[in-house]
Amino acid sequence: MLSILKSALNANTQEMGIISNNIANANSTGFKKSTANFEHIYSIHKSSDPETFSGQGVNISDPRLEMSQGSLKATGGALDLAITGQGFFTVLQSDQVNTPYFTRDGSFNITADGEVVTSDGLKVMGFLGEARGGLRNLIIPTIKKNLDNTVSIISNVNVDTKGKITAIYGLDEEVKIGTVALASFVNEPGLKPTGKNRYQSSFKSGEPKYGFPMEGPFGKIEAGNLERANVDITNEMVNMLKTQQAFSGVSRLLQTEVDITKSLIKR
C-alpha cells in the first residue's frame, strides 16, 4: 500500500511540474502546452483473467504536446512571422546541419551579412529564388550593386501569405529573394522538445516533410504577427487546484497508513 501511495505522490508532483511549466511560458512566443498522461501499473501474472491482476500504483508517461493554434499578436515587424494552420519553421546551427530544429516562434532578424536568423542566431531555412530544390539559409543582402556601379541600400522587406520574400532597395526596386520553408510531421505531438520552444524529429513524430506555405497541408504565413502560446491560464489554474487537492488527499492517506502501521508494530 505504501508503494502505491508513493507512486501517486510522485505522479501528482510531476503533473504539478508540467502545469507550472505551462503557466511560466504563457507569454512565450510559439509555446505549446503539455498535458500529463497517467498510466496504471499492474503486477505480472501468468493468468489472462483480468480479475487476477492487482494494481501497483500509477505513473506518468511522456507529457503529450498540445499543438492547437495560438492566437496572433500584431507586431508590425517585417520579419515577425506567424503560421496559421499546419507547419513549423526550420532553423539550425551552422555546425549541426543534420539535426535541424523546428519551431512556431517566427521572431526573426537580419544579420549584417544578410542572413535571416532567430533571436539567438540560429539560421532560418527556406528556398532561394524560384527554385524548389534543397533547403538553404535565407539570405537577404542589405545592399545591392547596380549595373552602373552604384549601390542601393535595402529599405524594406515584404513577406506574403505564401512565404515569398521580396526585398525593396532604394525607393521602389523589388528583388525576389526566396520563400520561407515549412515542415510537417505525421504525428506532431510526437516531436521531442529541446527547449526555447523548439523541437526535433523523433521516431514518434516521423521524418519532416518540407514544402511551401499554402500548398498541400501547409498553413499560411502572417507577416507582422507572432503566435502566442496556446496556454489558457484559467484552465491551468483549475488543473493546478485539482492536482493540489489530489496531492493533499494522497498525503492524508499516506499519513493514515503510517499511523496504522505504527500502531500494529507497538502491539
Side-chain angles (χ1 to χ4, degrees), residues 132-202:
R132 289 177 176 256
L135 293 182
R136 297 288 187 272
N137 177 213
L138 290 172
I139 298 178
I140 305 176
T142 55
I143 60 173
K144 175 181 177 295
K145 292 184 178 180
N146 302 314
L147 296 177
D148 58 359
N149 293 325
T150 59
V151 175
S152 298
I153 300 176
I154 191 170
S155 58
N156 199 3
V157 175
N158 294 322
V159 183
D160 66 13
T161 56
K162 293 185 177 181
K164 294 182 179 179
I165 304 173
T166 302
I168 300 176
Y169 296 89
L171 296 177
D172 57 2
E173 185 178 0
E174 294 186 358
V175 177
K176 294 181 180 179
I177 302 298
T179 306
V180 178
L182 294 183
S184 67
F185 299 86
V186 174
N187 179 33
E188 292 181 349
L191 289 169
K192 180 178 69 175
T194 59
K196 297 184 178 180
N197 303 329
R198 296 177 191 142
Y199 310 92
Q200 286 187 322
S201 60
S202 68

Side-chain angles (χ1 to χ4, degrees), residues 33-220:
K33 68 177 182 180
S34 299
T35 56
N37 287 327
F38 291 94
E39 298 177 338
H40 291 291
I41 303 173
Y42 290 96
S43 61
I44 299 176
H45 201 283
K46 293 182 180 180
S47 172
S48 60
D49 184 3
E51 294 184 358
T52 62
F53 297 163
S54 60
Q56 298 296 310
V58 66
N59 186 32
I60 284 187
S61 61
D62 293 336
R64 178 179 175 81
L65 288 171
E66 296 288 343
M67 290 296 182
S68 58
Q69 176 80 45
S71 60
L72 301 187
K73 174 184 177 181
T75 65
L79 287 177
D80 283 345
L81 309 179
I83 304 170
T84 55
Q86 186 175 345
F88 293 83
F89 299 111
T90 304
V91 299
L92 55 80
Q93 295 179 345
S94 57
D95 58 345
Q96 297 180 0
V97 178
N98 295 324
T99 55
Y101 296 93
F102 305 96
T103 182
R104 299 276 293 195
D105 183 353
S107 51
F108 304 139
N109 303 294
I110 302 178
T111 66
D113 296 328
E115 290 185 322
V116 181
V117 296
T118 62
S119 56
D120 55 350
L122 272 66
K123 297 181 179 180
V124 181
M125 308 303 289
F127 304 99
L128 295 180
E130 299 292 338
R132 289 177 176 256
L135 293 182
R136 297 288 187 272
N137 177 213
L138 290 172
I139 298 178
I140 305 176
T142 55
I143 60 173
K144 175 181 177 295
K145 292 184 178 180
N146 302 314
L147 296 177
D148 58 359
N149 293 325
T150 59
V151 175
S152 298
I153 300 176
I154 191 170
S155 58
N156 199 3
V157 175
N158 294 322
V159 183
D160 66 13
T161 56
K162 293 185 177 181
K164 294 182 179 179
I165 304 173
T166 302
I168 300 176
Y169 296 89
L171 296 177
D172 57 2
E173 185 178 0
E174 294 186 358
V175 177
K176 294 181 180 179
I177 302 298
T179 306
V180 178
L182 294 183
S184 67
F185 299 86
V186 174
N187 179 33
E188 292 181 349
L191 289 169
K192 180 178 69 175
T194 59
K196 297 184 178 180
N197 303 329
R198 296 177 191 142
Y199 310 92
Q200 286 187 322
S201 60
S202 68
F203 174 78
K204 294 180 180 179
S205 69
E207 293 299 315
K209 294 183 179 180
Y210 301 103
F212 292 75
M214 295 187 70
E215 289 190 9
F218 296 105
K220 68 177 181 178

